[in-house]
Amino acid sequence: MKTIIVVGLGAMGASVAEGLRTPTSKIFGIDNDAATCKIAVTEHVVDEIIKMDNLLVRNADLIVLAGPIRMIQDQLQLLQTMKLSGETIVTDIGSTKSEIMESAKGLPNFIGGHPMVGTDKKGIRNRNKDMFVGKPFFVVGDSQKIKLLSNLLEPLHSDIQAITATDHDKLVTSISDLPHVAAFALVNAIDRELPNNQLGWQGSVAGGFIDTTRIAQSNPELWSQILLSNRDSVVDGIDQLMTTLQEYKLSLIENNDKKLTEHIAEAKRIRQKVGELHE
Amino acid sequence: MKTIIVVGLGAMGASVAEGLRTPTSKIFGIDNDAATCKIAVTEHVVDEIIKMDNLLVRNADLIVLAGPIRMIQDQLQLLQTMKLSGETIVTDIGSTKSEIMESAKGLPNFIGGHPMVGTDKKGIRNRNKDMFVGKPFFVVGDSQKIKLLSNLLEPLHSDIQAITATDHDKLVTSISDLPHVAAFALVNAIDRELPNNQLGWQGSVAGGFIDTTRIAQSNPELWSQILLSNRDSVVDGIDQLMTTLQEYKLSLIENNDKKLTEHIAEAKRIRQKVGELHE
């Protein structure tokens, strides 16, 4: 029987908890929110709610930290004072890994984790235990311990990939942080171009706007923390995006159809290649 | 019996042609591509393929120009030489309206049109006659003639809304052109941050990237023309987007969690309001 503890039972944490359930595992949950804890137990997301200071925490097989980044960092500090069993593997599902690996320095059995899935929905009711299936799940740390973690995470059926923290953060900036910043900024910019719902724009958008800005509905506190925890890399990414926008602007000012078409054709080619791998 | 002619039988034009069919209408199609014409007839998208110089064109009840913007502009020139019947209403489904209205000056019965729907798919095979149902369809021109056009377009079941060309173009820049530019530039920027598929980024993206960049797969020639036809307004929009990105960058550099969270919360609030109207 494996003892697995998931700390933070929001949409992501609850999905992990439910996804890890097997006949040979016992899943415990920790969460600050009483209503979430109640749902977690009554809907069998976890077997039991416990406290962070419980004996179970010190002797668990796996502890998954699934709250916002700063909470993960606080919990990593706390776990370092708790005399965990040498068998206990600790992981997280926060985004940025360099800062987290730094915070986890005193935990010998910590492996950083980051499943490449997400949701703009908040809370335990929006869990989906199948969201990890076939999706990349990046792990950062010692290769022997990665093997142990991979076995424990097997019920999620994700595609576990080892990566360095630096490479991970560069990758995540590009493919996750930057799309979020672009979606946030696009909505802000349109609201300024057409303030107070001028021309009824909010009722006139088509599918392009809807899709492009879907992730602008993500949790503000969570995303502010994610972006700040990876800020050097995100600032680089924003600079690159602004450079690219500047090129589009220049092609327009120069009335340069050829150059503009080339930029777009290049974007289309790259995006279609991604689509072939994913859709 | 109404005689309706659709010029340009790509994904959008073919959708209009099929959507306009009623027991009391006869739909004719015009297209340069022989394969498209063949499909249009064999799959009953139109009743018959004709040429632009046909008597039918001069006496049609409705002519819908559904090609790319420059082709629409050429066709508007041609139609001005053709002695159309005083009963013939001409419209288009191109994007930008100011330039098109200018090109159509010599056609007394021209009403500019722009259904707020689109597809990143190309060609007659990707038609969908129901794509207009319930969606805004902007029309620009004389109010009496708008009434006539509205009656003719009734089978599409769209939400016909009169607007000025200037207001239309400002609106469309914000809610359609700018999301496209953002999606194109985002893909270009990521490809530069991680060139040659570094770190396997193309296989590691999640739903956020997929949605945010879906419209980057749009037709490059078509979109280059759309953006150029509306370039002053699009350049303004790009400037606004860059200003907004600059604010995100500054909040990150200042490590200003409060300001960053406020920007994101504002974006979320606006986007959710749009979502309530559309999803």
Side-chain angles (χ1 to χ4, degrees):
Chain A
M1 183 65 67
K2 295 284 178 200
T3 301
I4 296 172
I5 299 172
V6 179
V7 188
L9 296 172
M12 295 298 296
S15 302
V16 170
E18 213 166 55
L20 286 177
R21 180 182 299 286
T22 66
T24 61
S25 66
K26 192 139 171 134
I27 314 282
F28 297 90
I30 297 180
D31 198 281
N32 291 328
D33 184 62
T36 296
C37 290
K38 199 174 162 190
I39 295 168
V41 172
T42 54
E43 299 185 10
H44 309 289
V45 176
V46 301
D47 294 298
E48 222 173 284
I49 293 293
I50 58 168
K51 296 282 176 203
M52 195 57 153
D53 55 9
N54 198 301
L55 245 181
L56 282 166
V57 173
R58 291 199 283 281
N59 292 297
D61 294 287
L62 175 64
I63 301 175
V64 182
L65 306 179
I69 288 186
R70 300 237 180 95
M71 199 177 285
I72 291 175
Q73 290 179 310
D74 290 346
Q75 288 157 353
L76 285 169
Q77 293 304 313
L78 181 63
L79 288 174
Q80 283 170 50
T81 68
M82 281 182 68
K83 295 179 184 161
L84 297 183
S85 144
E87 310 288 301
T88 303
I89 300 274
V90 183
T91 189
D92 76 303
I93 57 165
S95 174
T96 322
K97 293 273 78 76
S98 304
E99 227 183 79
I100 298 237
M101 295 311 288
E102 187 67 28
S103 306
K105 260 186 177 169
L107 276 178
N109 287 351
F110 180 79
I111 302 291
H114 186 206
M116 292 308 291
V117 290
T119 171
D120 55 54
K121 307 285 195 302
K122 235 175 133 169
I124 191 166
R125 295 272 191 213
N126 289 301
R127 69 189 182 277
N128 167 16
K129 69 179 172 55
D130 297 320
M131 68 161 77
F132 310 97
V133 177
K135 296 293 173 6
F137 192 126
F138 289 111
V139 286
V140 178
D142 174 84
S143 62
Q144 286 307 311
K145 281 156 201 160
I146 285 179
K147 274 188 200 149
L148 296 173
L149 177 62
S150 300
N151 289 336
L152 288 161
L153 295 181
E154 209 280 321
L156 299 181
H157 301 295
S158 43
D159 172 19
I160 306 241
Q161 295 181 25
I163 191 169
T164 68
T166 313
D167 278 356
H168 171 274
D169 290 354
K170 189 177 179 187
L171 180 63
V172 163
T173 292
S174 297
I175 65 178
S176 173
D177 299 344
L178 207 54
H180 278 83
V181 173
F184 299 142
L186 180 60
V187 174
N188 293 141
I190 292 171
D191 183 61
R192 285 175 193 183
E193 285 286 292
L194 299 165
N196 304 317
N197 193 19
Q198 220 180 68
L199 306 177
W201 77 262
Q202 295 177 327
S204 303
V205 302
F209 174 92
I210 293 287
D211 285 359
T212 308
T213 60
R214 181 183 63 76
I215 54 175
Q217 299 172 99
S218 300
N219 180 338
E221 292 77 20
L222 183 70
W223 271 93
S224 180
Q225 287 186 31
I226 289 174
L227 298 175
L228 282 170
S229 73
N230 201 9
R231 67 194 185 122
D232 292 348
S233 183
V234 177
V235 166
D236 277 357
I238 292 177
D239 279 336
Q240 186 70 269
L241 181 56
M242 288 199 292
T243 303
T244 312
L245 284 168
Q246 186 65 36
E247 287 171 21
Y248 275 83
K249 180 179 161 183
L250 214 68
S251 300
L252 285 164
I253 290 172
E254 289 169 353
N255 208 2
N256 193 333
D257 187 8
K258 189 166 170 284
K259 209 193 269 176
L260 191 57
T261 306
E262 273 168 19
H263 285 316
I264 300 173
E266 179 70 1
K268 178 180 173 136
R269 191 188 59 73
I270 297 161
R271 177 57 180 79
Q272 280 189 320
K273 197 168 158 192
V274 176
E276 284 161 18
L277 296 169
H278 287 271
E279 283 160 8
Chain B
M1 184 64 68
K2 295 285 178 201
T3 301
I4 295 173
I5 300 173
V6 179
V7 189
L9 297 171
M12 295 297 297
S15 301
V16 170
E18 214 167 55
L20 286 177
R21 179 183 300 286
T22 66
T24 61
S25 65
K26 193 139 170 133
I27 314 281
F28 297 89
I30 297 180
D31 198 281
N32 291 329
D33 183 63
T36 296
C37 292
K38 200 173 161 191
I39 294 168
V41 172
T42 54
E43 299 185 8
H44 309 289
V45 176
V46 301
D47 294 298
E48 223 173 283
I49 293 292
I50 59 169
K51 295 282 177 202
M52 193 60 153
D53 54 9
N54 198 300
L55 244 181
L56 281 168
V57 174
R58 291 199 284 282
N59 293 297
D61 295 286
L62 174 65
I63 301 175
V64 182
L65 306 179
I69 289 185
R70 301 238 178 94
M71 200 178 285
I72 291 175
Q73 291 179 309
D74 290 346
Q75 287 157 355
L76 286 169
Q77 293 304 313
L78 181 63
L79 289 174
Q80 281 168 53
T81 67
M82 280 181 69
K83 296 179 182 161
L84 297 184
S85 143
E87 309 288 301
T88 302
I89 301 274
V90 182
T91 190
D92 75 307
I93 56 166
S95 174
T96 321
K97 293 274 76 78
S98 304
E99 226 183 81
I100 298 234
M101 295 312 288
E102 187 66 31
S103 306
K105 260 185 176 167
L107 276 178
N109 288 351
F110 180 78
I111 301 291
H114 186 206
M116 291 309 290
V117 290
T119 172
D120 56 52
K121 306 285 195 305
K122 237 175 132 169
I124 189 166
R125 295 273 192 212
N126 289 301
R127 70 189 183 276
N128 166 17
K129 70 179 171 53
D130 297 319
M131 68 161 77
F132 309 97
V133 176
K135 297 290 171 9
F137 193 125
F138 290 112
V139 287
V140 178
D142 175 84
S143 61
Q144 286 307 310
K145 281 158 200 159
I146 284 179
K147 275 190 199 147
L148 297 173
L149 177 62
S150 300
N151 289 337
L152 288 160
L153 294 182
E154 208 280 320
L156 298 182
H157 301 294
S158 42
D159 172 20
I160 307 242
Q161 297 180 24
I163 191 170
T164 69
T166 312
D167 278 354
H168 171 274
D169 290 354
K170 188 177 179 189
L171 180 63
V172 163
T173 291
S174 297
I175 65 178
S176 172
D177 299 344
L178 207 53
H180 278 82
V181 172
F184 299 142
L186 180 59
V187 174
N188 292 143
I190 292 172
D191 183 60
R192 285 174 195 184
E193 284 287 292
L194 298 166
N196 304 316
N197 193 20
Q198 220 180 68
L199 306 177
W201 78 263
Q202 295 177 328
S204 302
V205 302
F209 175 92
I210 294 287
D211 285 359
T212 310
T213 60
R214 180 182 64 77
I215 55 175
Q217 299 172 99
S218 301
N219 180 339
E221 293 76 21
L222 183 68
W223 272 93
S224 180
Q225 286 186 32
I226 289 174
L227 298 176
L228 283 169
S229 74
N230 201 9
R231 64 194 186 122
D232 292 347
S233 184
V234 177
V235 166
D236 277 356
I238 292 177
D239 279 336
Q240 186 70 270
L241 181 56
M242 287 200 290
T243 303
T244 312
L245 285 169
Q246 187 65 38
E247 287 171 18
Y248 275 83
K249 180 179 160 181
L250 215 66
S251 300
L252 284 165
I253 289 173
E254 290 170 352
N255 208 3
N256 193 332
D257 187 8
K258 187 164 171 285
K259 208 193 267 174
L260 192 56
T261 305
E262 272 169 17
H263 285 317
I264 300 173
E266 179 69 4
K268 178 177 174 137
R269 191 187 61 72
I270 298 160
R271 176 57 180 79
Q272 280 189 322
K273 197 168 158 190
V274 176
E276 283 159 19
L277 297 168
H278 286 272
E279 282 159 8

PDB file of all heavy atoms in Angstrom, chain B residues 39-57:
ATOM      1  N   ILE B  39     -16.659  20.991 -57.883  1.00  0.00           N
ATOM      2  CA  ILE B  39     -17.213  20.611 -56.577  1.00  0.00           C
ATOM      3  C   ILE B  39     -18.485  21.412 -56.288  1.00  0.00           C
ATOM      4  O   ILE B  39     -19.487  20.866 -55.811  1.00  0.00           O
ATOM      5  CB  ILE B  39     -16.169  20.856 -55.453  1.00  0.00           C
ATOM      6  CG1 ILE B  39     -14.974  19.913 -55.631  1.00  0.00           C
ATOM      7  CG2 ILE B  39     -16.780  20.647 -54.067  1.00  0.00           C
ATOM      8  CD1 ILE B  39     -13.768  20.260 -54.768  1.00  0.00           C
ATOM      9  N   ALA B  40     -18.449  22.707 -56.601  1.00  0.00           N
ATOM     10  CA  ALA B  40     -19.593  23.577 -56.313  1.00  0.00           C
ATOM     11  C   ALA B  40     -20.867  23.069 -56.987  1.00  0.00           C
ATOM     12  O   ALA B  40     -21.948  23.112 -56.401  1.00  0.00           O
ATOM     13  CB  ALA B  40     -19.292  25.007 -56.763  1.00  0.00           C
ATOM     14  N   VAL B  41     -20.704  22.545 -58.209  1.00  0.00           N
ATOM     15  CA  VAL B  41     -21.877  22.062 -58.934  1.00  0.00           C
ATOM     16  C   VAL B  41     -22.266  20.659 -58.481  1.00  0.00           C
ATOM     17  O   VAL B  41     -23.432  20.394 -58.173  1.00  0.00           O
ATOM     18  CB  VAL B  41     -21.628  22.100 -60.457  1.00  0.00           C
ATOM     19  CG1 VAL B  41     -22.774  21.417 -61.208  1.00  0.00           C
ATOM     20  CG2 VAL B  41     -21.466  23.545 -60.915  1.00  0.00           C
ATOM     21  N   THR B  42     -21.261  19.766 -58.391  1.00  0.00           N
ATOM     22  CA  THR B  42     -21.613  18.371 -58.065  1.00  0.00           C
ATOM     23  C   THR B  42     -22.149  18.255 -56.637  1.00  0.00           C
ATOM     24  O   THR B  42     -22.970  17.390 -56.359  1.00  0.00           O
ATOM     25  CB  THR B  42     -20.414  17.413 -58.258  1.00  0.00           C
ATOM     26  OG1 THR B  42     -19.310  17.908 -57.496  1.00  0.00           O
ATOM     27  CG2 THR B  42     -20.005  17.312 -59.711  1.00  0.00           C
ATOM     28  N   GLU B  43     -21.688  19.114 -55.746  1.00  0.00           N
ATOM     29  CA  GLU B  43     -22.184  19.038 -54.360  1.00  0.00           C
ATOM     30  C   GLU B  43     -23.303  20.055 -54.084  1.00  0.00           C
ATOM     31  O   GLU B  43     -23.632  20.329 -52.934  1.00  0.00           O
ATOM     32  CB  GLU B  43     -21.002  19.197 -53.378  1.00  0.00           C
ATOM     33  CG  GLU B  43     -19.964  18.080 -53.567  1.00  0.00           C
ATOM     34  CD  GLU B  43     -18.811  18.094 -52.564  1.00  0.00           C
ATOM     35  OE1 GLU B  43     -18.862  18.878 -51.597  1.00  0.00           O
ATOM     36  OE2 GLU B  43     -17.868  17.309 -52.766  1.00  0.00           O
ATOM     37  N   HIS B  44     -23.862  20.617 -55.148  1.00  0.00           N
ATOM     38  CA  HIS B  44     -25.026  21.509 -55.061  1.00  0.00           C
ATOM     39  C   HIS B  44     -24.818  22.730 -54.168  1.00  0.00           C
ATOM     40  O   HIS B  44     -25.744  23.192 -53.514  1.00  0.00           O
ATOM     41  CB  HIS B  44     -26.275  20.732 -54.604  1.00  0.00           C
ATOM     42  CG  HIS B  44     -26.504  19.507 -55.422  1.00  0.00           C
ATOM     43  ND1 HIS B  44     -26.928  19.562 -56.734  1.00  0.00           N
ATOM     44  CD2 HIS B  44     -26.313  18.196 -55.140  1.00  0.00           C
ATOM     45  CE1 HIS B  44     -27.002  18.330 -57.222  1.00  0.00           C
ATOM     46  NE2 HIS B  44     -26.633  17.482 -56.274  1.00  0.00           N
ATOM     47  N   VAL B  45     -23.581  23.216 -54.128  1.00  0.00           N
ATOM     48  CA  VAL B  45     -23.317  24.477 -53.430  1.00  0.00           C
ATOM     49  C   VAL B  45     -23.962  25.615 -54.226  1.00  0.00           C
ATOM     50  O   VAL B  45     -24.520  26.554 -53.667  1.00  0.00           O
ATOM     51  CB  VAL B  45     -21.789  24.710 -53.286  1.00  0.00           C
ATOM     52  CG1 VAL B  45     -21.494  26.053 -52.642  1.00  0.00           C
ATOM     53  CG2 VAL B  45     -21.158  23.561 -52.493  1.00  0.00           C
ATOM     54  N   VAL B  46     -23.870  25.508 -55.551  1.00  0.00           N
ATOM     55  CA  VAL B  46     -24.546  26.450 -56.445  1.00  0.00           C
ATOM     56  C   VAL B  46     -25.346  25.649 -57.462  1.00  0.00           C
ATOM     57  O   VAL B  46     -25.106  24.456 -57.656  1.00  0.00           O
ATOM     58  CB  VAL B  46     -23.536  27.366 -57.197  1.00  0.00           C
ATOM     59  CG1 VAL B  46     -22.687  28.152 -56.204  1.00  0.00           C
ATOM     60  CG2 VAL B  46     -22.650  26.548 -58.128  1.00  0.00           C
ATOM     61  N   ASP B  47     -26.276  26.329 -58.123  1.00  0.00           N
ATOM     62  CA  ASP B  47     -27.039  25.647 -59.165  1.00  0.00           C
ATOM     63  C   ASP B  47     -26.251  25.573 -60.459  1.00  0.00           C
ATOM     64  O   ASP B  47     -26.383  24.632 -61.235  1.00  0.00           O
ATOM     65  CB  ASP B  47     -28.368  26.376 -59.406  1.00  0.00           C
ATOM     66  CG  ASP B  47     -29.287  26.280 -58.193  1.00  0.00           C
ATOM     67  OD1 ASP B  47     -29.654  25.145 -57.835  1.00  0.00           O
ATOM     68  OD2 ASP B  47     -29.582  27.318 -57.582  1.00  0.00           O
ATOM     69  N   GLU B  48     -25.414  26.592 -60.667  1.00  0.00           N
ATOM     70  CA  GLU B  48     -24.719  26.679 -61.942  1.00  0.00           C
ATOM     71  C   GLU B  48     -23.500  27.586 -61.806  1.00  0.00           C
ATOM     72  O   GLU B  48     -23.527  28.533 -61.017  1.00  0.00           O
ATOM     73  CB  GLU B  48     -25.673  27.327 -62.964  1.00  0.00           C
ATOM     74  CG  GLU B  48     -25.682  26.686 -64.329  1.00  0.00           C
ATOM     75  CD  GLU B  48     -26.781  27.316 -65.191  1.00  0.00           C
ATOM     76  OE1 GLU B  48     -27.969  26.968 -64.987  1.00  0.00           O
ATOM     77  OE2 GLU B  48     -26.437  28.173 -66.028  1.00  0.00           O
ATOM     78  N   ILE B  49     -22.463  27.285 -62.595  1.00  0.00           N
ATOM     79  CA  ILE B  49     -21.295  28.168 -62.662  1.00  0.00           C
ATOM     80  C   ILE B  49     -21.470  29.097 -63.860  1.00  0.00           C
ATOM     81  O   ILE B  49     -21.851  28.645 -64.943  1.00  0.00           O
ATOM     82  CB  ILE B  49     -20.005  27.334 -62.814  1.00  0.00           C
ATOM     83  CG1 ILE B  49     -19.741  26.509 -61.554  1.00  0.00           C
ATOM     84  CG2 ILE B  49     -18.803  28.213 -63.156  1.00  0.00           C
ATOM     85  CD1 ILE B  49     -19.371  27.310 -60.316  1.00  0.00           C
ATOM     86  N   ILE B  50     -21.209  30.381 -63.653  1.00  0.00           N
ATOM     87  CA  ILE B  50     -21.324  31.325 -64.776  1.00  0.00           C
ATOM     88  C   ILE B  50     -20.047  32.160 -64.880  1.00  0.00           C
ATOM     89  O   ILE B  50     -19.119  31.980 -64.097  1.00  0.00           O
ATOM     90  CB  ILE B  50     -22.553  32.256 -64.616  1.00  0.00           C
ATOM     91  CG1 ILE B  50     -22.438  33.043 -63.298  1.00  0.00           C
ATOM     92  CG2 ILE B  50     -23.842  31.453 -64.678  1.00  0.00           C
ATOM     93  CD1 ILE B  50     -23.446  34.165 -63.160  1.00  0.00           C
ATOM     94  N   LYS B  51     -20.010  33.057 -65.854  1.00  0.00           N
ATOM     95  CA  LYS B  51     -18.872  33.966 -66.009  1.00  0.00           C
ATOM     96  C   LYS B  51     -19.285  35.365 -65.546  1.00  0.00           C
ATOM     97  O   LYS B  51     -20.460  35.705 -65.532  1.00  0.00           O
ATOM     98  CB  LYS B  51     -18.442  34.040 -67.486  1.00  0.00           C
ATOM     99  CG  LYS B  51     -17.910  32.734 -68.040  1.00  0.00           C
ATOM    100  CD  LYS B  51     -16.479  32.490 -67.573  1.00  0.00           C
ATOM    101  CE  LYS B  51     -15.981  31.131 -68.084  1.00  0.00           C
ATOM    102  NZ  LYS B  51     -14.866  30.638 -67.267  1.00  0.00           N
ATOM    103  N   MET B  52     -18.291  36.178 -65.242  1.00  0.00           N
ATOM    104  CA  MET B  52     -18.561  37.521 -64.727  1.00  0.00           C
ATOM    105  C   MET B  52     -19.244  38.422 -65.757  1.00  0.00           C
ATOM    106  O   MET B  52     -19.908  39.394 -65.379  1.00  0.00           O
ATOM    107  CB  MET B  52     -17.239  38.138 -64.252  1.00  0.00           C
ATOM    108  CG  MET B  52     -17.387  39.378 -63.413  1.00  0.00           C
ATOM    109  SD  MET B  52     -18.334  39.091 -61.871  1.00  0.00           S
ATOM    110  CE  MET B  52     -17.647  40.358 -60.820  1.00  0.00           C
ATOM    111  N   ASP B  53     -19.099  38.108 -67.056  1.00  0.00           N
ATOM    112  CA  ASP B  53     -19.691  38.994 -68.066  1.00  0.00           C
ATOM    113  C   ASP B  53     -21.107  38.577 -68.496  1.00  0.00           C
ATOM    114  O   ASP B  53     -21.679  39.130 -69.425  1.00  0.00           O
ATOM    115  CB  ASP B  53     -18.768  39.067 -69.301  1.00  0.00           C
ATOM    116  CG  ASP B  53     -18.462  37.668 -69.840  1.00  0.00           C
ATOM    117  OD1 ASP B  53     -19.094  36.691 -69.373  1.00  0.00           O
ATOM    118  OD2 ASP B  53     -17.581  37.559 -70.706  1.00  0.00           O
ATOM    119  N   ASN B  54     -21.653  37.598 -67.812  1.00  0.00           N
ATOM    120  CA  ASN B  54     -22.954  37.050 -68.185  1.00  0.00           C
ATOM    121  C   ASN B  54     -24.091  38.050 -67.980  1.00  0.00           C
ATOM    122  O   ASN B  54     -24.029  38.914 -67.112  1.00  0.00           O
ATOM    123  CB  ASN B  54     -23.185  35.813 -67.304  1.00  0.00           C
ATOM    124  CG  ASN B  54     -24.243  34.899 -67.839  1.00  0.00           C
ATOM    125  OD1 ASN B  54     -25.389  35.316 -67.982  1.00  0.00           O
ATOM    126  ND2 ASN B  54     -23.860  33.685 -68.156  1.00  0.00           N
ATOM    127  N   LEU B  55     -25.126  37.901 -68.786  1.00  0.00           N
ATOM    128  CA  LEU B  55     -26.356  38.697 -68.636  1.00  0.00           C
ATOM    129  C   LEU B  55     -26.923  38.585 -67.234  1.00  0.00           C
ATOM    130  O   LEU B  55     -27.466  39.541 -66.673  1.00  0.00           O
ATOM    131  CB  LEU B  55     -27.408  38.184 -69.625  1.00  0.00           C
ATOM    132  CG  LEU B  55     -27.871  39.138 -70.731  1.00  0.00           C
ATOM    133  CD1 LEU B  55     -28.924  38.446 -71.582  1.00  0.00           C
ATOM    134  CD2 LEU B  55     -28.427  40.434 -70.138  1.00  0.00           C
ATOM    135  N   LEU B  56     -26.773  37.387 -66.652  1.00  0.00           N
ATOM    136  CA  LEU B  56     -27.271  37.139 -65.292  1.00  0.00           C
ATOM    137  C   LEU B  56     -26.677  38.115 -64.290  1.00  0.00           C
ATOM    138  O   LEU B  56     -27.341  38.560 -63.369  1.00  0.00           O
ATOM    139  CB  LEU B  56     -26.909  35.703 -64.863  1.00  0.00           C
ATOM    140  CG  LEU B  56     -27.787  34.581 -65.402  1.00  0.00           C
ATOM    141  CD1 LEU B  56     -27.128  33.230 -65.133  1.00  0.00           C
ATOM    142  CD2 LEU B  56     -29.173  34.642 -64.771  1.00  0.00           C
ATOM    143  N   VAL B  57     -25.378  38.404 -64.483  1.00  0.00           N
ATOM    144  CA  VAL B  57     -24.720  39.326 -63.563  1.00  0.00           C
ATOM    145  C   VAL B  57     -25.400  40.694 -63.632  1.00  0.00           C
ATOM    146  O   VAL B  57     -25.689  41.312 -62.605  1.00  0.00           O
ATOM    147  CB  VAL B  57     -23.206  39.444 -63.886  1.00  0.00           C
ATOM    148  CG1 VAL B  57     -22.552  40.519 -63.018  1.00  0.00           C
ATOM    149  CG2 VAL B  57     -22.511  38.099 -63.690  1.00  0.00           C
TER     150      VAL B  57
END
